[in-house]
Amino acid sequence: QVQLVESGGGLVQAGGSLRLSCAASGGTFSSYAMGWFRQAPGKEREFVGVVSARGRSAFYPESLKGRFTISRDNAKNTVYLQMNSLKPEDTAVYYCAASGSMSYSWRTYDYWGQGIQVTVSS
């Protein structure tokens, strides 16, 4: 069983940056691909990106490429989501999740954090 806790969310102005962290405990962190998802009110959960178990590769949806970057530190059991040039439409609850494979589908993720709010003001 893996427990995931996100931190680093909050309110930021449009054009600003924010880095989310997700700390893992209770499992072998380095054996999981780690994904980030987000969900805005009234919208479906959206894939933000995923990093491989060893951190050697990552992929993102085309809409977020160049602005969002995922990295991980397996020694610290932590994955990060760096968000730059933020826009009001990035406002959502952000979730980190662990999966046995790199996937864009939330259905393949076994463990989830509780989520953290990110609000981007215009």
Side-chain angles (χ1 to χ4, degrees):
Q1 190 79 5
V2 177
Q3 291 82 45
L4 302 172
V5 178
E6 300 96 340
S7 61
L11 175 65
V12 63
Q13 288 189 335
S17 298
L18 208 57
R19 187 176 82 156
L20 303 183
S21 300
C22 172
S25 62
T28 307
F29 178 71
S30 60
S31 67
Y32 292 97
M34 295 299 298
W36 285 93
F37 293 81
R38 67 185 183 184
Q39 190 164 21
K43 295 188 176 181
E44 294 187 353
R45 197 173 317 184
E46 179 186 11
F47 172 69
V48 172
V50 61
V51 64
S52 63
R54 296 190 176 186
R56 292 176 181 173
S57 60
F59 67 84
Y60 311 88
E62 284 296 323
S63 59
L64 297 179
K65 275 185 182 179
R67 293 198 301 124
F68 287 20
T69 303
I70 299 175
S71 61
R72 65 190 296 164
D73 185 339
N74 285 349
K76 295 182 178 180
N77 287 355
T78 302
V79 62
Y80 306 97
L81 175 64
Q82 178 67 44
M83 304 183 289
N84 298 326
S85 302
L86 283 162
K87 305 174 182 180
E89 50 263 43
D90 295 317
T91 295
V93 176
Y94 284 71
Y95 300 87
C96 66
S99 173
S101 61
M102 292 182 75
S103 172
Y104 64 86
S105 172
W106 63 267
R107 293 176 177 84
T108 66
Y109 286 77
D110 302 308
Y111 304 104
W112 291 81
Q114 81 285 356
I116 193 161
Q117 178 70 44
V118 171
T119 303
V120 183
S121 63
S122 57

